[in-house]
Amino acid sequence: QGLLAEAENEYRLVIAVRPEHPQARLSLGIVLQKTGRLDQALAEYNRAASLGSSEARYNAASLKIELGRHREAIEELRQILVE
């Protein structure tokens, strides 16, 4: 957990300076998911996706499945396939 906490702090520092940094937001979402903060992770994935990260869209869909939000996940995946 120490390395994850350290990584979280680093990503938050990057975001504080560059709030529109999609990779930092995606990476923060991954750390949040690994530490069980799923709603916060989904929010970061959605933010990263809105900034153009296609990987974040896949992560968001996967997390929605984990959260039991299957219809939302299917819709997300359909949108990815259409684009």
Side-chain angles (χ1 to χ4, degrees):
Q1 293 288 9
L3 290 177
L4 289 174
E6 188 177 320
E8 179 181 349
N9 290 334
E10 292 297 320
Y11 296 133
R12 289 189 186 282
L13 287 172
V14 171
I15 291 167
V17 175
R18 293 188 53 206
E20 305 300 312
H21 194 289
Q23 186 61 44
R25 291 201 173 271
L26 170 64
S27 297
L28 178 58
I30 292 168
V31 169
L32 292 168
Q33 185 173 0
K34 286 183 178 192
T35 56
R37 292 171 285 169
L38 304 182
D39 289 334
Q40 292 175 43
L42 186 57
E44 290 301 332
Y45 290 151
N46 288 335
R47 181 75 172 154
S50 75
L51 296 169
S53 171
S54 58
E55 185 179 349
R57 293 183 72 187
Y58 288 106
N59 287 17
S62 176
L63 182 52
K64 286 175 184 177
I65 291 169
E66 186 177 331
L67 292 169
R69 295 163 58 177
H70 299 114
R71 287 190 178 146
E72 290 177 52
I74 289 168
E75 184 56 35
E76 183 82 38
L77 293 169
R78 280 187 182 144
Q79 288 177 7
I80 291 168
L81 291 172
V82 169
E83 294 176 0

